[in-house]
Amino acid sequence: MQSYTDADAHAHAHAHADDAVSTALTALLAELRSHIPADRVLTDGPEYTRAVALFNAAVDVRPSVVVRCATTADVQAGVRASRHHGVPLSVRGGGHDFWGRAFRPGGLVLDLTDMREVQVDIDGRVATVGGGALSSDVVSAAERVGLTAVTGTAGAVGMVGLTLGGGYGPLIGQFGLAADNLLGAEVVLADGSRVNTDAENHPDLFWALRGGGGNFGVVTSARIRLHPVPTVVSGTILYPIAQSAGVLAGLEEILQGCPDELTVDVGFLPGPDGEPTVYVAPTWSGDLEVGNAEDGPVRTLAGLGTPVLTDVGPVARSAALAATDAMFPPGRMGAIRTRTVQSVSGSVATVLDRAAQEFTSPFSAIVWHQFHGAATRPPLGSTAFGRREPHLMVELISMWEGSDGKDNAGRGDGTSPHLRWLEELHAALEPFSLPGGYVNFLGPETPDQVAHAYGPNTERLLAVKSAVDPDFVFAATPLPLGTADAGSMPV
C-alpha cells in the first residue's frame, strides 16, 4: 500500500483550489451571459487574444474574462457580476497605459473599445463621446464640421482616460487641459448604478473626474467642449545635439513669453542616423496667416541654430496626431517615468543632454510639455488636478523591441539596460523637480511622487473616493495613501 505523502496532500489541495476557481468562474460567466450576449464574454480564443493586446508589449497581465461592452447596461451588468463574485475589476479604453492598468490578474475587464461613437453638436460646440473613443475618433469627427477637441499629442490614446487624468497637449495654452474641457459624464458607479454628473449634478464627483483619474466609476460617455481650430501651424524641427546648449537657451527665453496660441513640445529623440537630436514641435492655434509667416512665431523656432530638419506648416489636427502615432507604434516594449520642473536650463539641461547621449534604444525619447496660458488660470481647487502654476511636464520614455529588456512593464529589478537608463535619469532629475507628477504617468514605483500629485486637493479627492467607492473597486491611476471621512458628502 502506498503512503499518503506531503506531496500528495499538496497536490490534493491544489486540485481543490483549481476546482473552486473553476466553479467560481463558471458562476461568473453564467451571470454575465444571462445579461450580455455570449459572444461578447470572452475567456479564450482569437477574439480574447486580440482583446488582451495592449500598446505596451512589456505588459504581462492576463484577465480571466473580457466583456466587450456595447451599452451602458453591459457595463452595469459587468460591475455587478464582478462584485457578486469577488473578481477584480478593470476598464479598458484606449489600452495605452504603460503599466497595463486596463487589466488586473485573473480579473474581469470591461472593454469599452466598441463604445467609440462620437456625436457632435455643431451649434453648441460639444461632442458626446463613448467611453472607448480614441482621441483620433473625436478629433476626426469634430474636424469634419470645422471644430476640434483638446487632446494630447497622440491619436491612439483613449479620450476619456486622457481627460480624467488631466490631459496635457498642444492646445493647452489656448484652451487648457483636456480635463478643463470636460462638461459632463455618464458614470457607472461601484454598485452598478448609473449617474449623470456635471457642474450642477453630483458636483463633487464631477470635480473629482477632472484630474482624479478613472478611480471613481466607469465613464461610459463624456461631453467635451469643442473649439473652432481644425487646422493649426505645426510640425517638427530637429537640431544636432551638439547645438543643444544654444538651442535650449534660446527656447527657454521664447517659452517664458509664449502667447497662449503657441505651445511648444521640446525634447531629445534619436535622429534618422541614430544620433540623438534636439526635437522642437511647435503648435500654433491662432490665426493661420500669423502662425505661418516667415518671421512668425513658429518659423522663428527654426532660427535657434542650424537645423537638420524643418518641416512646419498648416496641418489638420488629425494629421498631427497621426504623425505622433507613427513615431510610437503599438507592440514595442517600454516603461515611462515623469518629472515636473520649472524650466529646462542649467543643471536640468545638462542632465537631459547627457541622458540623450546615452540612449539605449533608437525608440526611446525625452519630451517636455508646456503648462501655460489658459491652463494656469482656473483656481487650484476648481478641479482635482493638482498643479496650476506654469511648469514643464517631462516624459522619460524607454522603449525597445524584442526581449532584450526582461523586466515586465517597468516593475523589474533594473537589470535591463533600458530600465536602468530610465531609472538613473529619473533619479538624476529629482533634486531639480517639483513635488508630485502627472498622474497618468505615475506608477507604483514612485509612491513619493504619488503622495504629492494632488497637493491641497488630496483630502477632498480621497473624500469623494470614500463616498462613491469605499471598497476601492476601481483602481486606475494611483491615488495618495490616506484616509478621509466622506460623511454625508453629496456626490
Side-chain angles (χ1 to χ4, degrees), residues 69 98 132 170 175 183 285 309 349 372-373 387 401 450:
C69 300
F98 269 81
F175 304 119
L183 300 175
S285 56
L309 171 71
H372 73 119
R387 187 177 298 281
E401 290 184 337
V450 172

Side-chain angles (χ1 to χ4, degrees), residues 203-483:
D204 282 295
L205 175 60
F206 182 59
W207 175 89
L209 293 179
R210 290 177 294 158
N215 297 301
F216 307 92
V218 186
V219 174
T220 50
S221 71
R223 292 189 302 112
I224 293 169
R225 183 185 295 111
L226 300 177
H227 305 276
V229 188
T231 303
V232 294
V233 180
S234 189
T236 300
I237 304 165
L238 297 179
Y239 290 96
I241 197 166
Q243 299 176 29
S244 168
V247 170
L248 293 184
L251 279 169
E252 181 68 17
E253 185 177 343
I254 290 172
L255 296 187
Q256 292 292 337
C258 247
D260 291 358
E261 296 89 345
L262 179 64
T263 294
V264 187
D265 290 340
V266 186
F268 293 98
L269 298 178
D273 61 356
E275 291 298 309
T277 63
V278 182
Y279 165 78
V280 182
T283 298
W284 173 266
S285 56
D287 181 272
L288 291 180
E289 192 171 326
V290 172
N292 199 40
E294 286 299 322
D295 60 349
V298 173
R299 297 185 187 278
T300 297
L301 298 170
L304 300 173
T306 304
V308 296
L309 171 71
T310 301
D311 182 14
V312 295
V315 62
R317 287 215 60 239
S318 57
L321 295 179
T324 301
D325 290 338
M327 291 169 59
F328 298 98
R332 291 175 180 157
M333 306 182 83
I336 194 169
R337 301 290 182 266
T338 187
R339 289 291 186 188
T340 303
V341 299
Q342 290 181 316
S343 68
V344 173
S345 58
S347 297
V348 175
T350 300
V351 167
L352 296 178
D353 182 286
R354 184 189 313 121
Q357 299 196 51
E358 297 173 351
F359 277 137
T360 59
S361 163
F363 309 115
S364 295
I366 302 167
V367 183
W368 51 97
H369 305 269
Q370 277 185 284
F371 188 95
H372 73 119
T376 68
R377 295 180 189 127
L380 179 57
S382 63
T383 70
F385 194 79
R387 187 177 298 281
R388 287 292 179 175
E389 73 271 19
H391 62 267
L392 301 172
M393 184 273 286
V394 188
E395 282 187 80
L396 312 174
I397 307 168
S398 181
M399 300 204 77
W400 62 94
E401 290 184 337
S403 58
D404 57 330
K406 297 179 181 178
D407 304 299
N408 283 334
R411 299 189 185 94
D413 61 9
T415 58
S416 156
H418 310 298
L419 291 178
R420 188 161 55 249
W421 172 86
L422 181 65
E423 298 295 7
E424 289 176 356
L425 172 54
H426 183 250
L429 284 175
E430 182 178 12
F432 315 108
S433 299
L434 299 170
Y438 179 39
V439 294
N440 278 346
F441 295 156
L442 291 180
E445 306 84 1
T446 54
D448 55 327
Q449 288 184 268
V450 172
H452 296 96
Y454 290 100
N457 292 332
T458 300
E459 183 177 355
R460 182 180 178 188
L461 190 70
L462 295 179
V464 177
K465 178 67 172 176
S466 295
V468 300
D469 184 20
D471 299 323
F472 278 70
V473 172
F474 300 107
T477 51
L479 289 172
L481 295 175
T483 58

Side-chain angles (χ1 to χ4, degrees), residues 68-101:
R68 298 292 295 270
C69 300
T71 65
T72 299
D74 292 345
V75 173
Q76 291 177 281
V79 170
R80 289 170 179 147
S82 76
R83 301 299 306 278
H84 291 165
H85 299 277
V87 177
L89 184 69
S90 62
V91 182
R92 175 179 180 152
H96 216 272
D97 178 66
F98 269 81
W99 287 268
R101 289 175 286 211

